[in-house]
Amino acid sequence: MATENMARHYEQAQATRKGSTLALYALTLGAFAIGMTEFIIMGLLSEVATSLNVSIPMAGFLITGYALGVAIGAPIITIATHRMPRKALLLFLMILFIAGNALAALAPNYMVLMLARILAALTHGSFFGVGSVIAAELVPKEKRAGAIAIMFTGLTLANILGVPIGTFLGQAYGWRSTFWAITIIGIIALIGIVMLVPKVANATSSLRQELGVLKRPAVHIALLMTVFGFGGVFTAFTYISPILVDITGFSPSSVSYILVLFGVGITIGNIYGGKLADRKLFPSLLGILVVLALVLAVFSFTDQNKLLTLITVFLLGIAAFGTVPGLQLHMLNTAKEAPTLASTLNIAAFNLGNALGAYIGGVVIDLNFAGGLSAVPWVASLVTVIGILFTIWGAQHQNVTVKKG
């Protein structure tokens, strides 16, 4: 009898473990689709501009619109749905995401495409915030960080696989085909969440407690660190396709392969950036931001040579996402009493930086400032330098707070 009970207990544990793993994969697929939507326009910038009869900078503003949708929508949806059942919220977000991408695929003009991008963007911040909570609930306490990391792997894979494949698909069959593909992936993820993700408890912290952290100057500094520290990346990377084709001389079909190289770089940067941040947060964060500023500045010269451009794009990926764990960890440390809202706000800040960067790069090109497109990388470097200054301020503010404490 004892042996039978042990066998039954083992089978139940195995079934629970398998169910949790499948649920995590459903969340990962959702993260993959959302990440692909966020970054795909960069690989199809020329195709969208030509199809809708707009300029490259105007097409670039589709990235700005998405990023602003995340920045504005993330905190609003988080606050408005504070007491909504977490799984129900996740399903609502995926349905909204699917609708946004289907509308993008059908968009008859630029304005409708912009509205579709913003609609899809409203789901971004809340999905990753709520998804992180659910992922942590699916596994034992000692494995929560690993579960969250598995979900965020979807975002990394979106850069390594999704964007290059989507770019190839869009160049071969038209950019609308890429948005139809994302819509289908979103539907599969929705079905997976319905069938595999269990119900989890609602948030227990009060809305007053969550909003209280917004009064802290340290939180404001942390958000500015993220906006400008990461904003330099998108000042340049938004226009990576025309830079590679018009300046470096790569063929349009080569862009998708080069984006794979960038994706490998961000994976490496994300992993080692996290390890460095765990050891010494501010020194590592400052160091990585300095490297990022230097790589962007050097890109103004290396973009004349194909081999040097490939090396620079790879290093840019490492430095760009090497900042992400440190910036996110600093925000969580700064607002420990409201981790959900703090995490969501920082995701919004990343996307506000994306929007700002895409806008600045577009203005540089439109005004033909200092050479237009060729000036974008070093202007991006200056944006990152502003982030470095805010990071130094944040470190000093933290030291003063610790001494007072």
Side-chain angles (χ1 to χ4, degrees):
M1 181 66 71
T3 303
E4 291 179 0
N5 288 336
M6 289 178 62
R8 189 179 300 110
H9 178 73
Y10 176 78
E11 290 175 359
Q12 290 174 347
Q14 288 291 96
T16 300
R17 189 177 296 112
K18 182 179 179 181
S20 297
T21 301
L22 292 175
L24 282 174
Y25 288 158
L27 294 174
T28 302
L29 185 60
F32 176 86
I34 291 175
M36 192 172 171
T37 295
E38 178 180 16
F39 297 115
I40 193 59
I41 287 292
M42 285 175 287
L44 298 173
L45 211 58
S46 299
E47 287 75 15
V48 171
T50 301
S51 172
L52 299 181
N53 196 28
V54 297
S55 66
I56 290 291
M58 280 291 289
F61 291 153
L62 291 168
I63 299 170
T64 304
Y66 184 94
L68 287 175
V70 177
I72 296 170
I76 292 176
I77 289 181
T78 299
I79 293 170
T81 60
H82 184 67
R83 293 298 180 185
M84 187 176 180
R86 297 301 128 198
K87 181 176 180 179
L89 174 57
L90 207 60
L91 294 174
F92 167 72
L93 293 172
M94 284 308 302
I95 291 171
L96 198 63
F97 171 80
I98 291 166
N101 280 281
L103 180 60
L106 295 168
N109 55 51
Y110 177 84
M111 287 306 300
V112 174
L113 180 57
M114 177 66 82
L115 290 174
R117 293 277 294 167
I118 294 173
L119 180 63
L122 294 176
T123 68
H124 186 117
S126 295
F127 180 89
F128 282 102
V130 176
S132 297
V133 173
I134 293 178
E137 293 289 336
L138 291 173
V139 297
K141 186 176 181 180
E142 66 274 10
K143 295 183 178 180
R144 288 182 175 181
I148 294 172
I150 289 173
M151 190 197 76
F152 274 88
T153 299
L155 191 59
T156 302
L157 289 175
N159 284 275
I160 297 176
L161 298 175
V163 173
I165 293 174
T167 299
F168 173 80
L169 186 65
Q171 290 175 345
Y173 302 102
W175 61 269
R176 297 177 190 276
S177 64
T178 301
F179 282 100
W180 281 124
I182 295 172
T183 301
I184 293 170
I185 295 172
I187 292 172
I188 296 172
L190 175 66
I191 295 171
I193 292 170
V194 170
M195 297 180 63
L196 302 171
V197 175
K199 294 181 180 180
V200 296
N202 292 357
T204 56
S205 59
S206 67
L207 187 58
R208 182 186 297 272
Q209 183 180 12
E210 293 274 335
L211 294 175
V213 302
L214 299 179
K215 299 178 181 179
R216 299 180 186 174
V219 171
H220 302 159
I221 297 172
L223 291 173
L224 289 170
M225 287 166 54
T226 298
V227 169
F228 289 96
F230 199 74
V233 175
F234 269 67
T235 303
F237 197 67
T238 297
Y239 305 97
I240 191 67
S241 181
I243 288 174
L244 293 174
V245 174
D246 298 339
I247 295 180
T248 313
F250 284 105
S251 65
S253 60
S254 300
V255 173
S256 58
Y257 300 107
I258 297 172
L259 291 179
V260 172
L261 187 65
F262 179 81
V264 174
I266 70 170
T267 303
I268 295 172
N270 194 47
I271 293 171
Y272 286 97
K275 291 181 178 180
L276 290 172
D278 279 335
R279 293 177 182 176
K280 291 187 177 180
L281 179 56
F282 273 104
S284 66
L285 187 53
L286 274 171
I288 295 170
L289 284 170
V290 169
V291 171
L292 176 59
L294 290 173
V295 170
L296 287 168
V298 167
F299 196 17
S300 295
F301 303 96
T302 59
D303 62 6
Q304 306 293 326
N305 179 281
K306 290 184 177 180
L307 177 60
L308 293 179
T309 292
L310 293 177
I311 295 172
T312 305
V313 168
F314 177 66
L315 293 176
L316 178 60
I318 294 175
F321 273 68
T323 65
V324 174
L327 290 169
Q328 191 75 358
L329 179 61
H330 173 59
M331 174 56 82
L332 291 174
N333 289 343
T334 304
K336 294 179 180 179
E337 300 86 347
T340 302
L341 182 60
S343 179
T344 302
L345 283 174
N346 210 43
I347 290 172
F350 275 115
N351 283 272
L352 185 59
N354 296 352
L356 178 66
Y359 176 77
I360 291 173
V363 169
V364 170
I365 297 171
D366 259 348
L367 298 180
N368 199 29
F369 173 74
L373 186 62
S374 62
V376 168
W378 69 258
V379 172
S381 178
L382 293 179
V383 175
T384 301
V385 169
I386 297 174
I388 292 172
L389 296 177
F390 278 119
T391 303
I392 293 172
W393 186 16
Q396 293 174 340
H397 188 278
Q398 185 188 57
N399 290 335
V400 171
T401 303
V402 170
K403 289 179 180 178
K404 286 183 178 180

